[in-house]
Amino acid sequence: MLKTKNYEFWFLTGSQDLYGDECLRIVAEHSQKIVSELNATGKFPYKIIWKPTLIDSVSIRETLSAANANPDVAGCIVWMHTFSPAKMWIRGFNEYKKPLLHLHTQFNRDIPFDTIDMDFMNQNQSAHGDREFAHILTRMGVVRKTISGHWTNPTAQERIADWMRTAIGALESRYMRILRVGDNMRNVAVTEGDKVEAHQKFGWEVDAYNITDIAEYVQAVSDADVNALTDQYYAEYDIITDGRDVAEFRAHVAEQAKIEIGFRRFLEENNYQAIVTTFQMLAGLKQLPGLAIQRLMADGYGFGAEGDWKTAGFVRLFKLMTAGKPGAKGTSFMEDYTYHLEPGKEAILQAHMLEICPSIAAGKPAIRVNPLTMGEREDPARLVFTAKPGRGIACSLVDLGKRFRMIVNEVECLPQDKPMPKLPVASALWRPLPDFATGTEGWLIAGGAHHTAFTYDLTSENIADLCEFFGIECVIIGGGTTIQSLKRDLMIGEVYFG
Ligand code: MN
């Protein structure tokens, strides 16, 4: 299982010194109560840390700078209990660079109609304090998420928890290192991209190595280690030999164990969190990495095939964002393969030659060894399964030459009623929203790739917020999309980002 850092989010309460000590004492009491009760719900993936009320520009700047500098802090949640003249926040936000949530709430849920007086009004002024605060953020162009609602409201709480996951993706992205084994698949356009721009926008270091560098690590793996991991495979998965000789079958599987151990050591020693391979550059490898890559993905590594480092990066980010999420159904690299065009039941069969993450499997995956026409190597072992049904998102980052565009399609994974016994790869069958024709037409018009980062466990809102933080265009094709609305979005994007 993927472990993420023990991040924390700071809860900052804004006010000013005009209210007097007694009022500020109550403000602090209120914000402390909110923080402790939010933490006690157990709904938040990361701890919320209360900070003393901010009442002047010096303490504001010091606190925001400290949040910036502290590697444990993933972001700040800010709320104006009372009125906090917003010029006081300018210096702080000139420096602040981490994810920001403006929580528009108030301590009391209801107006105390029978007892409300001027003192109460003066002490509970979020309705206008938050407007003053938001005004300066908007004027300064500070990217932030805004969530409105009483802090005990379950929907508001779920949205805060969800935003925390987006914030983790935004922050972790800055430190991601992607290993390219070889280069892009020859002549393919959509998997290409500007790595310098990606470094600036997302923070990614994208480094190429010769396959022989990694193959050395694979060759160096001991037989004992290979045997132990192969035994683990046999214990963990079903085995479908398809009539092959049992010993010959195991030798093929063992080759993937060797690749997994070699690749994993290289990734760990060289501090990479995502990997791309290409079947055109295999050098000393006996098989195209299949089962090995599937297991690395299941452990939280990003992956993209055919040199697709852009998709690998987002698979990794989605793995981080969804880590430990209760009821998570999985995240994988995916590829649009072939269509089912039966009227009324149109769907897209999703698969790849080998490398689909078993985290999305509906049942127990099975190991099979079958020929692969690509790669000109021996038959690779791979995990075969079908994906869980349910709602998910498929995301494709494309490089338009001058800039990046993220394209998100909300999809509905369908139960796979009819078995596909001759299909020797993992697969999913999904219907794009809002319907097959609009979904596929929209995807083509937006320039989306055949590769995607797919997850059940995030929504298009997560991705839109993430892209806003990165400062890139995000086009969503979902339930309410029409071709005309999509074209309008693309035109607006062209003006804004172009
Ligand atoms: Mn592919």
Side-chain angles (χ1 to χ4, degrees), residues 176-185 189-208 274-277 302-317 333 397-399 404 451 453:
M176 182 158 50
R177 286 162 49 83
I178 302 176
L179 167 65
R180 295 169 69 222
V181 182
D183 203 336
N184 199 56
M185 180 180 166
V190 81
T191 48
E192 285 283 12
D194 183 338
K195 297 187 285 294
V196 181
E197 188 67 11
H199 202 145
Q200 289 174 230
K201 289 287 186 209
F202 312 124
W204 302 350
E205 294 175 12
V206 187
D207 298 331
I275 182 169
V276 301
T277 57
F303 174 74
E306 290 109 36
D308 187 351
W309 53 269
K310 301 198 302 301
T311 308
F314 275 91
V315 170
R316 167 64 181 177
L317 287 188
F333 170 73
L397 180 75
V398 294
D399 187 331
F404 290 116
H451 284 174

Side-chain angles (χ1 to χ4, degrees), residues 185 305-306 333 335 337 352-353 450-451:
M185 180 180 166
E306 290 109 36
F333 170 73
E335 177 171 288
Y337 242 102
H352 203 264
M353 295 188 297
H450 57 286
H451 284 174

Side-chain angles (χ1 to χ4, degrees), residues 261-333:
I261 296 167
F263 274 36
R264 195 183 287 275
R265 283 180 187 157
F266 191 93
L267 288 160
E268 281 172 4
E269 278 181 28
N270 296 283
N271 187 30
Y272 288 101
Q273 298 83 42
I275 182 169
V276 301
T277 57
T278 169
F279 63 88
Q280 288 170 327
M281 295 169 209
L282 293 175
L285 296 186
K286 288 186 187 166
Q287 297 176 15
L288 179 61
L291 177 53
I293 289 291
Q294 291 178 294
R295 287 175 49 88
L296 287 169
M297 238 190 300
D299 282 345
Y301 285 96
F303 174 74
E306 290 109 36
D308 187 351
W309 53 269
K310 301 198 302 301
T311 308
F314 275 91
V315 170
R316 167 64 181 177
L317 287 188
F318 293 176
K319 293 276 184 189
L320 284 165
M321 291 161 74
T322 60
K325 186 172 185 180
K329 291 168 72 176
T331 296
S332 181
F333 170 73

Side-chain angles (χ1 to χ4, degrees), residues 374-393:
M374 305 285 212
E376 300 166 334
R377 290 293 188 281
E378 70 175 38
D379 302 348
R382 80 288 296 266
L383 288 172
V384 180
F385 52 85
T386 55
K388 301 175 184 93
R391 185 63 62 89
I393 51 168

Side-chain angles (χ1 to χ4, degrees), residues 228-292:
L229 186 58
T230 308
D231 286 345
Q232 196 185 317
Y233 290 174
Y234 273 64
E236 208 168 315
Y237 309 114
D238 287 337
I239 302 293
I240 301 175
T241 59
D242 293 307
R244 295 179 88 115
D245 176 77
V246 176
E248 185 252 11
F249 182 93
R250 185 174 161 110
H252 279 256
V253 176
E255 194 57 37
Q256 290 289 333
K258 197 169 178 175
I259 296 171
E260 179 187 332
I261 296 167
F263 274 36
R264 195 183 287 275
R265 283 180 187 157
F266 191 93
L267 288 160
E268 281 172 4
E269 278 181 28
N270 296 283
N271 187 30
Y272 288 101
Q273 298 83 42
I275 182 169
V276 301
T277 57
T278 169
F279 63 88
Q280 288 170 327
M281 295 169 209
L282 293 175
L285 296 186
K286 288 186 187 166
Q287 297 176 15
L288 179 61
L291 177 53

Side-chain angles (χ1 to χ4, degrees), residues 20 32 42 87 103 111 122 130 141 217 226 238 250 292 310 329 337 428 460 468 472 474:
Q32 276 173 308
K87 287 184 195 170
L103 179 60
I111 293 175
N122 277 335
D130 270 335
Y217 277 65
V226 170
D238 287 337
R250 185 174 161 110
K310 301 198 302 301
K329 291 168 72 176
Y337 242 102
S460 44
E468 189 180 357
I472 66 160
C474 181

